[in-house]
Amino acid sequence: MSNSSTNLPRERISRLREMVADDQQLPTGVKLVAAPLRFVGFWAAVALPFLYVPLLFGGLQASELTVFVALVALNALALVIGHNYARS
């Protein structure tokens, strides 16, 4: 049996990454939305770790653990979105 079905998602993801990394291939409407999203994603990824400090300083209670995990997930999403911001 062949493994071609398992490689299909990887190929699609790599083509999508190439298309998003190269702004020239994006349609105009997507370019207009992508630039501000990258800006917000980049600066959110920079600023969000400062919100960890008060949570970690006081120790994580059971109710704060959910907030901390949500902040880490949001920071990871912001890192992905803002990854190509201001690349020359």
Side-chain angles (χ1 to χ4, degrees):
M1 284 192 201
S2 69
N3 255 349
S4 63
S5 64
T6 58
N7 291 332
L8 187 60
R10 290 182 184 173
E11 291 172 7
R12 287 183 180 171
I13 290 172
S14 67
R15 276 189 275 142
L16 181 62
R17 282 183 185 161
E18 289 172 9
M19 188 175 84
V20 171
D22 185 14
D23 282 346
Q24 302 303 324
Q25 294 181 2
L26 293 176
T28 304
V30 175
K31 286 182 191 177
L32 292 173
V33 174
L37 280 178
R38 285 184 184 143
F39 171 80
V40 170
F42 176 82
W43 288 109
V46 170
L48 281 172
F50 290 106
L51 297 177
Y52 301 166
V53 175
L55 287 173
L56 295 174
F57 183 70
L60 287 176
Q61 310 300 324
S63 61
E64 294 172 336
L65 184 61
T66 307
V67 174
F68 180 73
V69 170
L71 278 173
V72 170
L74 187 62
N75 196 5
L77 179 65
L79 283 168
V80 170
I81 291 172
H83 179 71
N84 285 334
Y85 174 68
R87 279 219 170 155
S88 49

